[in-house]
Amino acid sequence: MAEESATVDMDAMPELVVVTGMSGAGRTEAMHVFEDLGYFSVDNLPANLIVELVDMRSAGTGGPKRLAVVCDARNGDYFGSLTEAIGELRERGIDLKVIFLDADDEKLVARYKSSRRRHPLCTDGTTIAQGIQRERNLLMDLRDMSDEVIDTTDMLPSTLRNTIRQLFAKGDERRGLAVTVYSFGFKHGAPVDADVVMDVRFLPNPYYDSELRPLTGLDAPVRDFVMLRDETIEFKKRWHSLLDVLMPGYVAEGKQQLAIGVGCTGGQHRSVALAESTGDYLKSKGYRVSVAHRDLKLAERGAGSDFSTETPDIHGDAAADAR
């Protein structure tokens, strides 16, 4: 989080966000965004407990600095006190923002039919459309007092995520994507959690040099053997060009975590050197990056190895996120 603050103005983010609005308009998606931004998030919180939650945070007991709560018509009779709770908190000077999510009736009906879930105000046998109209009447005053009204009628989930980030997390959108680049060895099993896998077994292998075999891609002799070859230089150009296409697309889609696996035979030489190089390149482009080496502990260093220091499993700007 500290690293993210270098490019995202965390102090400008409100200490309390109340997410409300029409059922089916995207409240759950919005809550996920605030969770990713480091907010302590509570879904379906009764309105009369919001003030108590803020008081607990303000009591100096080490609670979360920022809170995000969803409060909506599911609260039933408790929901009516939301406007009073918001008014009280604003009078007390709490840094509070209210987001109201809306969509047109036709879209809301379609979403409910698609999800096959029951509208919270259709408990007495009324139709979805009638439940939506009841909810609009219930939320009329709350909509008027909201700081931001977001119409999600024509929005994809990724568009809603980006809209909220632009409103509340000022800064470079690339910092919202936590990237882990890790090396691995195919002989120890292909990765199951990587979004992107690059196989570098086509490059010349330092393993067959007796002096390099006990070393790893973190050692300068192996790194130079791998990185200074014409094959690798050409590969890096094309690999970086591919990343230049992929990464902005993932950011635009609203992806929050991305794992890139770089694999060679044993996960000791080529993949380690190129995972480090890939991490450095992405950092230079402004992304939050951690570099890990999945199979380095299994490295065949040999009896004559002078590589005695323990290699860290993970390092980089977003090490805490990747864990």
Side-chain angles (χ1 to χ4, degrees):
M1 187 66 69
E3 193 65 30
E4 182 175 350
S5 65
T7 51
V8 176
D9 187 0
M10 303 300 290
D11 291 336
M13 294 167 63
E15 57 185 287
L16 172 62
V17 174
V18 176
V19 180
T20 189
M22 298 297 294
S23 300
R27 295 186 310 258
T28 300
E29 194 68 46
M31 183 58 65
H32 290 164
V33 177
F34 287 106
E35 288 176 349
D36 291 335
L37 290 173
Y39 279 76
F40 179 79
S41 302
V42 183
D43 188 17
N44 198 19
L45 183 72
N48 59 341
L49 295 182
I50 295 178
V51 175
E52 293 185 28
L53 187 59
V54 171
D55 289 340
M56 290 174 59
R57 183 196 61 80
S58 304
T61 57
K65 182 177 180 180
R66 292 179 177 84
L67 302 170
V69 300
V70 170
C71 187
D72 51 56
R74 290 173 295 171
N75 291 166
D77 294 338
Y78 294 105
F79 184 69
S81 60
L82 180 58
T83 55
E84 298 175 5
I86 291 173
E88 177 182 344
L89 291 170
R90 284 176 170 167
E91 289 180 2
R92 289 166 50 177
I94 300 297
D95 185 11
L96 163 67
K97 296 293 183 183
V98 181
I99 301 178
F100 190 99
L101 299 178
D102 203 353
D104 66 33
D105 290 1
E106 183 177 353
K107 177 63 71 171
L108 292 174
V109 170
R111 289 174 181 172
Y112 265 98
K113 287 187 175 181
S114 175
S115 68
R116 298 184 179 180
R117 298 190 63 191
R118 179 174 58 83
H119 190 281
L121 297 186
C122 290
T123 58
D124 56 357
T126 56
T127 65
I128 295 175
Q130 290 172 328
I132 290 172
Q133 188 56 52
R134 286 180 179 179
E135 190 174 27
R136 287 205 181 280
N137 295 335
L138 180 66
L139 299 179
M140 188 178 303
D141 292 340
L142 185 59
R143 192 182 195 277
D144 292 338
M145 67 186 303
S146 297
D147 298 285
E148 301 287 347
V149 177
I150 302 176
D151 188 341
T152 70
T153 300
D154 298 315
M155 282 189 179
L156 296 172
S158 59
T159 307
L160 175 58
R161 291 194 294 267
N162 288 336
T163 299
I164 293 174
R165 284 192 59 85
Q166 290 169 6
L167 288 171
F168 290 90
K170 305 298 184 181
D172 192 337
E173 290 185 353
R174 290 171 295 182
R175 305 299 290 183
L177 175 63
V179 183
T180 299
V181 180
Y182 68 87
S183 65
F184 68 93
F186 279 99
K187 75 176 185 179
H188 303 300
V192 297
D193 60 344
D195 300 288
V196 179
V197 175
M198 177 54 65
D199 183 351
V200 297
R201 287 177 291 183
F202 68 92
L203 295 173
N205 194 349
Y207 178 85
Y208 295 108
D209 185 318
S210 60
E211 294 184 359
L212 299 180
R213 182 178 303 173
L215 304 179
T216 78
L218 297 176
D219 294 301
V222 172
R223 185 169 60 247
D224 291 345
F225 178 96
V226 174
M227 304 305 296
L228 298 181
R229 305 188 75 90
D230 291 340
E231 301 97 317
T232 308
I233 292 171
E234 181 62 25
F235 163 71
K236 281 181 59 181
K237 292 179 182 178
R238 297 176 184 270
W239 176 224
H240 291 172
S241 294
L242 177 60
L243 290 172
D244 289 342
V245 174
L246 291 177
M247 301 303 292
Y250 284 127
V251 171
E253 192 271 335
K255 195 172 182 64
Q256 297 297 312
Q257 291 185 307
L258 178 71
I260 300 174
V262 182
C264 64
T265 303
Q268 176 178 346
H269 298 113
R270 294 165 292 181
S271 62
V272 172
L274 282 160
E276 292 284 334
S277 173
T278 300
D280 289 342
Y281 179 73
L282 293 176
K283 289 177 187 177
S284 74
K285 294 295 184 177
Y287 296 98
R288 288 190 298 146
V289 182
S290 296
V291 179
H293 302 295
R294 191 192 75 176
D295 298 326
L296 202 55
K297 60 183 177 295
L298 304 175
E300 299 178 18
R301 293 173 183 142
S305 173
D306 58 1
F307 185 80
S308 58
T309 58
E310 182 177 353
T311 303
D313 288 331
I314 190 167
H315 58 90
D317 292 348
D321 297 302
R323 290 191 188 102

